[in-house]
Amino acid sequence: MTPRRAKIAAVGTCVPERVVTNDDLSLTLDTSDEWISTRSGIRRRHIAADGQAASDLGSVAASRALAAAGVSPAELDLIIATSISSDMPFPATASLISGNIGADGVPAFDLSAACTGFVYALAAANAFIASGQAAKVLVIGAEAVSKMIDWTDRSTAVLFGDAAGAVLLAPVAEGETGIIGFDLGNDPGGAGQLSIPAGGSRLPASAETVQERQHFIKMNGREVFKFATRVLASSAGKVLDQHGFRVEDVDLFIPHQANIRIIDAAARKLGLAPEKVFSNLENYGNTSCASIPLCLDEAARAGRLKAGDLVLMVGFGGGLSWGSCLARW
Ligand code: UT7
């Protein structure tokens, strides 16, 4: 059997209403708009309301992707969600979203690969379609990361934002190319550089873990920065090589939105023209698993992503993990 090719058939997103600027943060933290914007490129981020969880944002994004595709929830074969801020350890956020969007009976599971989750989930969905096990697969990156932030830690609090992005994957039509390939990787030696240490079976919740603020994101920013700059360029180069493309062939490069300095350094290493690099982190911060679909949606709406364009998406994050996806839009 020839594997079926899959394409991204539609995108939907959702950001919470509340906008928090760098100046707002500097009222409660020893930081400044100048430090945050020059060190990271971030100027503002959206923050979920009290009681608003990852699945709430993910459900809206999912319904919007389905509406854009003209597909009903009952037609779905599979739902994969990915998040570093799942509603709870279990059941899966994908299951909660399926209930919210009216996809009863549709298989639903979560995939965990930290901020690289979206690219890994695309790869999993692509494999389900290629093998004929599914035709219409919804992939959702849903984040209410603000709930996992230590708002007294200026080294992480200024970086993240909340959002969700969903894509519908479906088999290509005659003559379409769709998803071309992936490069996925992981460096377990860096597991301690970026994590939420407590709340799992290694360090179960206790009065001490709460007091020591171990339930929040901990990051060694400098080490993650070095790793990210390296893998963004190397993984992008690898997936291009594997499929016989050159950097000049890329129409739009969509990297995970963590820091504009990481993005610029990787683009320089790759030799990519600045106009081919998409970035919107100025307005959203690092939205983890939602950052790439949020960019896809904005780029398509802005006319920077047109049918037939070669798009290169690259994610990275905890693990330390990385993943690239090359596709024809
Ligand atoms: O999706 C997950 C992936 N995450 C990432 O990719 C993040 C990667 N890392 C980064 O983006 C950067 O390392 C940061 C933005 C986190 C930090 O930038 P940096 O240029 O690496 O700064 P630094 O950590 O070397 O800190 C420089 C100084 C320190 O002060 P001293 O030790 O030089 O006196 C920090 O204490 O900046 C201080 N600092 C701050 N100052 C004002 C750290 N955070 C802040 C802050 N405001 N928010």
Side-chain angles (χ1 to χ4, degrees), residues 270-287:
L270 280 165
L272 262 170
E275 64 274 14
K276 290 188 171 183
V277 180
F278 193 84
S279 167
N280 62 7
L281 88 174
E282 181 177 358
N283 296 322
Y284 302 104
N286 178 348
T287 59

Side-chain angles (χ1 to χ4, degrees), residues 170-213:
V172 294
E174 185 85 30
E176 288 179 334
T177 302
I179 290 175
I180 296 165
F182 292 89
D183 169 60
L184 304 176
N186 185 58
D187 170 11
Q193 307 290 6
L194 179 52
S195 67
I196 297 180
S201 55
R202 175 64 59 200
L203 210 52
S206 67
E208 285 75 33
T209 60
V210 171
Q211 198 185 7
E212 291 160 6
R213 310 184 81 77

Side-chain angles (χ1 to χ4, degrees), residues 29-32 35-36 39-40 84 115 153-160 194 219-226 228 256-259 261-262 286 288 316-318:
L29 283 170
D30 180 15
T31 189
S32 64
W35 192 96
I36 303 169
R39 296 289 180 128
S40 73
I84 62 164
C115 298
D153 173 12
R154 67 177 183 175
S155 72
T156 52
V158 303
L159 301 175
F160 293 91
L194 179 52
M219 178 168 70
N220 181 341
R222 276 182 212 184
E223 287 307 312
V224 177
F225 190 101
K226 282 190 260 174
H256 170 48
Q257 305 285 302
N259 188 319
R261 288 156 54 219
I262 294 174
N286 178 348
S288 185
F316 59 86

Side-chain angles (χ1 to χ4, degrees), residues 7-292:
K7 65 174 179 184
I8 295 177
V11 191
T13 61
C14 174
V15 290
E17 255 171 53
R18 185 171 160 226
V19 175
V20 173
T21 65
N22 293 347
D23 284 335
D24 293 335
L25 291 179
S26 65
L27 298 175
T28 51
L29 283 170
D30 180 15
T31 189
S32 64
D33 175 47
E34 206 265 330
W35 192 96
I36 303 169
S37 54
T38 54
R39 296 289 180 128
S40 73
I42 299 162
R43 292 191 178 274
R44 55 193 76 81
R45 71 285 293 142
H46 292 249
I47 299 292
D50 287 348
Q52 197 172 32
S55 73
D56 299 321
L57 301 171
S59 300
V60 176
S63 293
R64 287 179 178 160
L66 290 178
V71 167
S72 75
E75 289 176 75
L76 289 171
D77 298 304
L78 178 65
I79 300 172
I80 308 176
T82 180
S83 181
I84 62 164
S85 52
S86 297
D87 288 32
M88 49 188 111
F90 72 87
T93 300
S95 172
L96 303 172
I97 292 175
S98 79
N100 290 341
I101 66 173
D104 288 26
V106 176
F109 70 89
D110 284 3
L111 182 154
S112 164
C115 298
T116 320
F118 183 75
V119 178
Y120 269 76
L122 273 187
N126 184 61
F128 268 94
I129 294 174
S131 68
Q133 285 189 83
K136 293 188 172 66
V137 184
L138 197 55
V139 171
I140 308 149
E143 298 287 11
V145 199
S146 62
K147 319 279 180 182
M148 330 309 271
I149 292 292
D150 179 352
W151 287 101
T152 66
D153 173 12
R154 67 177 183 175
S155 72
T156 52
V158 303
L159 301 175
F160 293 91
D162 299 334
V167 295
L168 180 75
L169 258 69
V172 294
E174 185 85 30
E176 288 179 334
T177 302
I179 290 175
I180 296 165
F182 292 89
D183 169 60
L184 304 176
N186 185 58
D187 170 11
Q193 307 290 6
L194 179 52
S195 67
I196 297 180
S201 55
R202 175 64 59 200
L203 210 52
S206 67
E208 285 75 33
T209 60
V210 171
Q211 198 185 7
E212 291 160 6
R213 310 184 81 77
Q214 298 289 326
H215 294 269
F216 298 118
I217 294 176
K218 307 279 179 202
M219 178 168 70
N220 181 341
R222 276 182 212 184
E223 287 307 312
V224 177
F225 190 101
K226 282 190 260 174
F227 158 80
T229 315
R230 182 165 42 83
V231 296
L232 260 188
S234 63
S235 181
K238 202 161 157 195
V239 76
L240 287 170
D241 275 357
Q242 270 167 359
H243 297 280
F245 290 96
R246 295 162 311 153
V247 168
E248 303 81 75
D249 298 327
V250 173
D251 294 298
L252 197 64
F253 177 57
I254 301 188
H256 170 48
Q257 305 285 302
N259 188 319
I260 196 67
R261 288 156 54 219
I262 294 174
I263 295 173
D264 289 346
R268 270 198 308 277
K269 258 193 196 177
L270 280 165
L272 262 170
E275 64 274 14
K276 290 188 171 183
V277 180
F278 193 84
S279 167
N280 62 7
L281 88 174
E282 181 177 358
N283 296 322
Y284 302 104
N286 178 348
T287 59
S288 185
C289 293
S291 78
I292 291 177

Side-chain angles (χ1 to χ4, degrees), residues 301-327:
R301 283 175 197 279
R304 289 187 63 189
L305 204 46
K306 297 176 285 300
D309 277 356
L310 189 67
V311 56
L312 175 53
M313 300 162 254
V314 190
F316 59 86
L320 295 168
S321 56
W322 67 88
S324 294
C325 173
L326 187 64

